[in-house]
Amino acid sequence: MKCDVLTIFPDIFDSYLNESIIKRARANNLLDVTLFNIRDFSSDPHRTVDDSPFGGGAGMVFKPEPIFRAMDFLREDGEPRRVILLTPQGRPFSQSIAEDYSKEQKRFVFICGRYEGIDERVKTLADEEISIGDYVLTGGELAALVIIDAVTRLIPGALGDERSVEDESFSWGLLDYPHYTRPREFRGLSVPQVLVSGDHKEIDNWRRKEALKKTVKVRPDLIAKVKLTELDRRILSEIQALSDEEA
Ligand code: ADE
């Protein structure tokens, strides 16, 4: 993934991009992030990037000029780019969007809004407007980092062990099953017997069942979107029967 980030707080990105998997992905040229301070593209001596809203109201609005100038600068190299504007009004980010982005050959531009909003004309620069959830952050910087993180771990070679991503396709669309490591007994809590049985078919069945159970309980809305196998349907009716008994 190659991306340019337009922000008025480039320092926010420093620590996150310099740790762990993201740091290694950058070192291995799997991820390339270039940060641009929108203030550098302001045409006035005070490096102003915001102004009061037409029509009145509280707060300040991001001016269009510095962002347009920044985009003109980026486009000088002629490289095709996919421009993403981060706002709470955007299309909700999801794992399937992360997968789509991880296959993108074009360079991304993430425009991080701030203040009360962004001049509507900035939207003409963007291919897509994306939100990371139904809550309002103080700016788009965390949203850009969330997207960069979710996409990077899908790039082949970015995770130490490719099975981590394969495993997710096993439980695609469901919440994850429970994980355990040593010790087998810890403060009276033991690891489920099946996980130490060595029977991989049984382990797979158990994991699928636990993922289904957790999803039904916490995110029943997701079940409708999952491609269920015959075995899944059987497991789901068992879960339903159990919860009917408890009721
Ligand atoms: N900027 C502020 N809140 C946001 C959100 N939820 N998603 C993306 N960008 C944002």
Side-chain angles (χ1 to χ4, degrees), residues 179-240:
H179 300 261
Y180 291 88
T181 186
R182 274 182 279 270
R184 271 172 79 157
E185 282 286 326
F186 179 70
R187 299 196 177 184
L189 303 169
S190 48
V191 173
Q193 185 56 36
V194 60
L195 296 180
V196 292
S197 68
D199 183 337
H200 290 286
K201 191 160 182 299
E202 274 307 301
I203 292 171
D204 278 355
N205 286 345
W206 181 85
R207 286 178 167 163
R208 186 81 188 170
K209 184 170 181 173
E210 292 302 313
L212 283 163
K213 260 176 31 190
K214 180 82 184 171
T215 311
V216 167
K217 193 165 169 209
V218 180
R219 292 289 309 277
D221 56 302
L222 294 179
I223 294 283
K225 300 178 194 159
V226 177
K227 240 171 122 188
L228 298 171
T229 63
E230 205 36 59
L231 180 61
D232 290 340
R233 287 183 204 285
R234 242 182 297 140
I235 295 172
L236 282 171
S237 32
E238 270 176 44
I239 296 168
Q240 186 59 46

Side-chain angles (χ1 to χ4, degrees), residues 1-6 32 71 74-75 77-86 91-112 123-130 147-148 151:
M1 177 189 217
K2 293 176 282 177
C3 56
D4 300 317
V5 180
L6 303 184
D32 165 9
M71 284 305 303
L74 293 181
R75 286 190 168 132
D77 64 8
E79 199 179 327
R81 283 176 165 81
R82 184 161 174 183
V83 183
I84 315 295
L85 178 63
L86 300 158
R91 183 158 70 107
F93 187 61
S94 62
Q95 191 65 19
S96 67
I97 297 179
E99 277 165 20
D100 169 29
Y101 286 7
S102 73
K103 292 173 195 134
E104 178 60 84
Q105 296 302 310
K106 285 185 196 160
R107 203 174 170 88
F108 282 94
V109 181
F110 293 109
I111 304 176
C112 305
K123 294 184 185 168
T124 63
L125 293 170
D127 297 303
E128 290 149 71
E129 199 175 342
I130 295 281
I147 294 171
I148 291 168
V151 174

